[in-house]
Amino acid sequence: MTSTDSGSTPKPPAKDPWELPDVADLTVGVLGGTGDQGRGLAYRLARAGQKVIIGSRAAERAGTAAAELGLGVEGADNAECARRSDIVIVAVPWEGHAKTLESLRDELAGKLVVDCVNPLGFDKKGAYALRPEEGSAAEQAAALLPESRVTGAFHHLSAVLLLDPAVGQIDTDVMVLGEVRADTDIVQALAARIPGMRGVFAGRLRNAHQVESLVANLISVNRRYKAHAGLRVTDL
Ligand SMILES: NC(=O)c1ccc[n+]([C@@H]2O[C@H](COP(=O)([O-])OP(=O)(O)OC[C@H]3O[C@@H](n4cnc5c(N)ncnc54)[C@H](OP(=O)(O)O)[C@@H]3O)[C@@H](O)[C@H]2O)c1
């Protein structure tokens, strides 16, 4: 007897996990986009043809950083950056994370937020992972932004490589975390816009802490081997 004969509904074929949406027309904003990580991501995405707006606490600083990058990148204060963007990358230091997001709750409502913040401490022994009360920076973002679509990604990138115009490819995987597959698909597609980069779904936000913390290990690797280490997930 076939499944149809038995009266049960046949399952639709599983979707190819590498089938990702076209994100070329989406505008990407970067909060804290005047810093190394923010400028680096803005540069790579703009170089790939994405419309990018750099955000700052001061519009003038954003304007200067955007003009230096060229490639059609614009600058604005963080609120305008959030308002005008479809996807908003959070690239502020951990210390300013909660306050920044709280102040932009309205502007970020309905937006796809991509948190790349790594809560780290530094002492004589090097970098170590902090454990935020909410579990991770990404979960803190989700708690503070109930009307936004919060994801986590781009934690393991080297800003030095991102910003070096002589580097043509950024060979690394980007672990993408989130609750809604349609949103993590968009972030994976965004990562894939950058030559050499691949976005890999890596679980729900409750697993963001390990991904954020792994940066402490990468910093140790970089110090030991004088490298700008990235990550590859094998057998995919
Ligand atoms: N650097 C990397 O290689 C790397 C890699 C992966 C992930 N990340 C993560 O990305 C984030 C940014 O890193 P970064 O190295 O670019 O940091 P950063 O240069 O120290 O800060 C980025 C920008 O955030 C703004 N900012 C500074 N303090 C702030 C505060 N208290 N509240 C709100 N905004 C503040 C500043 O812009 P304005 O003064 O113009 O507002 C600054 O230019 C961090 O959370 C880090 O964990 C960094």
Side-chain angles (χ1 to χ4, degrees), residues 129-210:
L130 304 174
R131 180 171 287 272
E133 207 182 301
E134 297 83 355
S136 61
E139 287 167 289
Q140 183 182 80
L144 292 171
L145 304 172
E147 290 177 49
S148 304
R149 298 140 59 203
V150 175
T151 62
F154 300 119
H155 304 91
H156 303 142
L157 305 180
S158 156
V160 175
L161 293 185
L162 291 176
L163 280 166
D164 184 348
V167 174
Q169 291 218 154
I170 307 285
D171 282 317
T172 195
D173 282 341
V174 170
M175 311 269 259
V176 180
L177 303 115
E179 301 301 318
V180 178
R181 201 56 59 82
D183 292 338
T184 52
D185 279 356
I186 290 172
V187 180
Q188 284 179 255
L190 187 66
R193 298 272 287 154
I194 300 174
M197 231 181 248
R198 180 177 66 162
V200 176
F201 174 74
R204 290 178 181 263
L205 294 183
R206 68 180 182 178
N207 282 316
H209 174 67
Q210 301 87 278

Side-chain angles (χ1 to χ4, degrees), residues 92-104:
V92 298
W94 167 239
E95 296 71 38
H97 185 256
K99 201 170 153 211
T100 302
L101 297 184
E102 263 166 5
S103 71
L104 297 173

Side-chain angles (χ1 to χ4, degrees), residues 1-7:
M1 192 189 277
T2 65
S3 60
T4 315
D5 293 338
S6 70

Side-chain angles (χ1 to χ4, degrees), residues 32 34-38 56-58 61 78 91-96 100 116-118 154-159:
T34 55
D36 286 348
Q37 167 78 346
S56 164
R57 289 169 296 181
R61 274 202 297 278
N78 281 331
V92 298
W94 167 239
E95 296 71 38
T100 302
C116 72
V117 171
N118 303 309
F154 300 119
H155 304 91
H156 303 142
L157 305 180
S158 156

Side-chain angles (χ1 to χ4, degrees), residues 39 54 73 106:
R39 277 183 304 119
I54 278 181
V73 176
D106 291 344

